[in-house]
Amino acid sequence: MATAKMSVRPEDLSHIPQGAERIPEAGIMVIFGASGDLTKRKLLPALFHLEQVGLLPKNFTILGVARRPLGDEFAADMRAGIVEFGDVDVSDPKLNDFVERIAYFPLRFDVPDDYAGLKTELDRIDKEKNLGGHRLFYLATAPEFFAGIIENLGAQNMAQPEHGQVGVVIEKPFGHDLESARELNRQVNAVFHESQVFRIDHYLGKETVQNILVFRFANGIFEPVWNRNYIDHVQITAAETLGVEGRGPFYEKAGALRDVVQNHMMELLSFVAMEPPSSFDAEAVRREKVKVWRAIPPVPIKDAVRGQYGPGIVEGKRAAGYRDEERVNPESGTETFAALRLEIENWRWAGVPFYLRAGKRLKRRATEISIQFKQPPLLIFNRMASQAACQEIQPNLLTIRIQPDEGISLRFGAKVPTTPNMDVCPVIMDFDYEAAFGKSSANGYERLLLDAMLGDQTLFSHRDGVEINWALYTPIIEAWAAKMPEVFPNYFAGTWGPECSDHLLERWGHKWRNDLGRKA
Ligand code: BG6
């Protein structure tokens, strides 16, 4: 298929301000569960990237908190993480100074006295570095500790101090069903005001996800066709080649629906489907997202299918089946793949199916949104086309590649030159992020951490949104839990998932796009 490239002219970038107005006030970030992978793989590299581009305040301090009695080795471990996962040169001149600002405090999450010690330590650091009482608590622990940590912060008056801005960032999963999410929201809001709460979904930190809104609302030509009159259906795929990577106990309780579909994929869907907000402020954006989610009727159980991988070959290497993974029940009924069809009952979308699919150990890593447009009403060239020169006329397809090969492409038909017939071939117009703007080592957390420090909640979930999404998925989760799947595992690692996923779309006359990725 022929491809046309699009690029950015340097003069178009020269007027973009470099963000000096977005430097937060000096403060401290307290990371609970700091000895876990997330801190060194994602959070610290992201903070260091912010430092590199001058977006961190001068005295900004990081305090890692976890149960283990660690000392200086914590900062050394974080340094190694920044270099390895942040793609940072060990000799970066800013690295040593940054690492000196990392400290560690051992704390048992369920021991109230330990929080009194933490408060004393925070006050000491605050005084020494003149941080004005600004604090951001980041909960990166296992989810069962969230409520207890929040309660203890409240009990020690750390949530509503006399001076400074205080916020709390809460990692996913936020609850495990509707009831537990409601309970957690109640516990959080008993201590923190909603304006202090940042429920994080790292997908919203990805440039390509934010770009969905820019694509739709900073351009005039797409909105008029962005509706049921022109769009046939939408597919959203989040395919991973990775397995559970040693997270067996977590994943056994989560499964694909809770881990990725209920949160990341629903965020993607809301950006594709929402009405234009009146502005890009938190309230306006969240209001429109919630309207989309509320307009989704319950998903009939036959329109949701699940899968679990067996052994197979992924990217040329042998991969074990899910049941053989470390610390996974050998008879596990947990789904590592989920696909479903849903509709959005509003004037823009009524009758347009949205298909969602997410899975581990699939054929290729690709998170993509495909907007398939309707065929033209009359295919006048079809009759004349010589079969040899062209394929069947294909409908226009807009593809938003969230990752990897980040970009956007539009497929349309073009006349094949030199043949005597009106032969039509699909061609692709492609925008490639890296080619246009250069390679980025950002991992998505940079933007969200900075926003949280600045108190900007636009890219974070609100309590209503979390509960609406759990309300949609809890009946499916319960139905699946009540009935063990008959044939598990039902797909080989390294394929596009179980047959029931293909059948789901076939029932509606559709087919999954499996040619995902620009290099596919
Ligand atoms: C996390 C899930 O939220 O997202 C993981 O818990 C998943 O299971 C990950 O692998 C995917 O994120 P990304 O940014 O690699 O697509």
Side-chain angles (χ1 to χ4, degrees):
M1 209 178 298
T3 303
K5 301 253 178 286
M6 285 185 274
S7 58
V8 174
R9 297 174 310 164
E11 59 269 32
D12 290 338
L13 286 176
S14 59
H15 70 284
I16 311 262
Q18 289 311 303
E21 72 283 12
R22 291 203 23 104
I23 301 178
E25 295 206 45
I28 185 160
M29 183 176 292
V30 184
I31 305 175
F32 289 90
S35 56
D37 261 8
L38 182 75
T39 310
K40 81 167 174 204
R41 280 176 180 260
K42 304 276 188 183
L43 304 183
L44 268 294
L47 287 169
F48 185 66
H49 288 152
L50 291 175
E51 171 74 3
Q52 282 178 313
V53 293
L55 288 176
L56 282 189
K58 217 156 172 260
N59 281 344
F60 181 76
T61 304
I62 298 150
L63 185 69
V65 173
R67 283 168 289 188
R68 280 187 236 166
L70 299 172
D72 291 346
E73 67 266 39
F74 177 74
D77 195 27
M78 294 303 117
R79 179 186 223 279
I82 293 168
V83 170
E84 181 178 353
F85 303 110
D87 204 9
V88 168
D89 193 329
V90 258
S91 58
D92 189 297
K94 292 192 166 173
L95 192 55
N96 286 345
D97 174 55
F98 182 78
V99 172
E100 271 171 28
R101 291 190 263 150
I102 302 174
Y104 183 79
F105 186 84
L107 173 139
R108 290 158 297 173
F109 301 134
D110 49 357
V111 178
D113 281 352
D114 286 11
Y115 290 81
L118 175 64
K119 184 169 195 278
T120 309
E121 177 66 359
L122 287 176
D123 290 344
R124 187 192 66 73
I125 299 174
D126 202 282
K127 206 161 160 208
E128 181 188 309
K129 301 203 171 171
N130 195 18
L131 301 180
H134 302 307
R135 288 172 196 172
L136 188 63
F137 297 107
Y138 196 114
L139 308 196
T141 61
E144 58 265 31
F145 296 113
F146 292 168
I149 294 172
I150 285 169
E151 195 186 334
N152 278 302
L153 291 175
Q156 293 295 333
N157 285 328
M158 284 195 266
Q160 309 294 343
E162 283 165 25
H163 310 288
Q165 303 288 328
V166 172
V168 62
V169 182
I170 307 174
E171 262 295 334
K172 66 176 269 284
F174 196 92
H176 53 88
D177 58 10
L178 178 58
E179 206 182 312
S180 57
R182 277 193 181 140
E183 176 62 7
L184 183 55
N185 272 329
R186 200 191 52 69
Q187 288 160 327
V188 170
N189 290 136
V191 174
F192 289 97
H193 186 268
E194 184 62 25
S195 63
Q196 297 175 284
V197 183
F198 299 85
R199 296 176 192 78
I200 198 163
D201 181 314
H202 77 278
Y203 259 55
L204 293 185
K206 294 180 193 280
E207 297 286 359
T208 40
V209 175
Q210 293 160 31
N211 191 47
I212 301 171
L213 296 187
V214 173
F215 181 78
R216 291 188 54 199
F217 304 135
N219 294 293
I221 64 169
F222 304 110
E223 257 334 88
V225 296
W226 208 261
N227 56 52
R228 62 192 302 275
N229 298 329
Y230 296 92
I231 293 178
D232 182 72
H233 72 278
V234 177
Q235 297 185 13
I236 308 181
T237 295
E240 297 182 75
T241 48
L242 292 178
V244 287
E245 307 301 296
R247 295 195 303 158
F250 160 78
Y251 202 82
E252 276 286 90
K253 286 197 241 154
L257 210 56
R258 285 190 176 100
D259 188 37
V260 171
V261 180
Q262 183 269 350
N263 34 63
H264 302 328
M265 298 198 80
M266 293 307 283
E267 292 290 351
L268 294 181
L269 176 133
S270 72
F271 274 21
V272 172
M274 73 197 240
E275 295 302 316
S278 54
S279 70
F280 192 61
D281 74 31
E283 238 347 274
V285 173
R286 285 167 160 196
R287 204 177 311 125
E288 295 305 336
K289 283 165 57 174
V290 163
K291 279 204 285 199
V292 170
W293 293 327
R294 275 198 214 286
I296 302 174
V299 177
I301 196 71
K302 64 175 178 27
D303 287 349
V305 299
R306 55 183 156 163
Q308 186 190 74
Y309 62 86
I313 307 281
V314 182
E315 294 173 330
K317 289 200 193 105
R318 218 165 253 294
Y322 176 69
R323 291 177 176 189
D324 296 322
E325 300 269 14
E326 217 182 296
R327 294 182 295 159
V328 164
N329 176 356
E331 291 176 8
S332 174
T334 299
E335 83 283 357
T336 58
F337 176 100
L340 60 111
R341 174 191 190 275
L342 53 79
E343 292 196 11
I344 301 171
E345 284 184 346
N346 61 22
W347 275 57
R348 186 188 282 266
W349 294 115
V352 178
F354 281 71
Y355 297 106
L356 272 49
R357 106 182 127 160
K360 294 215 179 269
R361 287 279 190 240
L362 296 184
K363 192 172 179 75
R364 192 173 304 126
R365 175 172 176 252
T367 300
E368 288 197 17
I369 300 167
S370 309
I371 317 272
Q372 179 152 329
F373 289 87
K374 293 184 173 169
Q375 285 281 24
L378 197 59
L379 293 174
I380 55 171
F381 302 118
N382 234 12
R383 277 170 278 159
M384 303 165 75
S386 83
Q387 289 305 312
C390 82
Q391 304 163 26
E392 200 178 306
I393 293 181
Q394 297 180 9
N396 295 128
L397 179 76
L398 181 80
T399 304
I400 303 174
R401 296 188 303 272
I402 302 297
Q403 63 188 22
D405 303 331
E406 291 77 358
I408 295 180
S409 67
L410 178 66
R411 179 180 77 194
F412 55 94
K415 183 188 175 305
V416 182
T418 70
T419 67
N421 298 319
M422 291 299 271
D423 290 332
V424 181
C425 246
V427 291
I428 300 266
M429 201 152 64
D430 190 60
F431 156 64
D432 175 83
Y433 248 91
E434 187 179 331
F437 295 107
K439 191 171 161 48
S440 162
S441 49
N443 67 22
Y445 277 89
E446 290 82 355
R447 171 69 192 264
L448 297 177
L449 290 173
L450 189 65
D451 281 0
M453 287 183 238
L454 289 162
D456 181 346
Q457 294 180 307
T458 311
L459 296 174
F460 293 85
S461 311
H462 186 259
R463 62 175 296 163
D464 295 353
V466 170
E467 290 182 15
I468 294 167
N469 279 316
W470 276 122
L472 183 68
Y473 284 100
T474 299
I476 306 177
I477 289 169
E478 286 175 353
W480 284 0
K483 193 169 181 285
M484 181 77 175
E486 278 149 27
V487 195
F488 253 18
N490 59 354
Y491 70 97
F492 293 108
T495 64
W496 283 112
E499 280 183 351
C500 52
S501 152
D502 296 330
H503 295 157
L504 170 69
L505 267 67
E506 281 160 18
R507 268 185 19 231
W508 299 91
H510 294 132
K511 200 168 183 287
W512 285 115
R513 271 194 63 225
N514 285 338
D515 56 341
L516 305 179
R518 190 166 56 91
K519 292 171 191 139

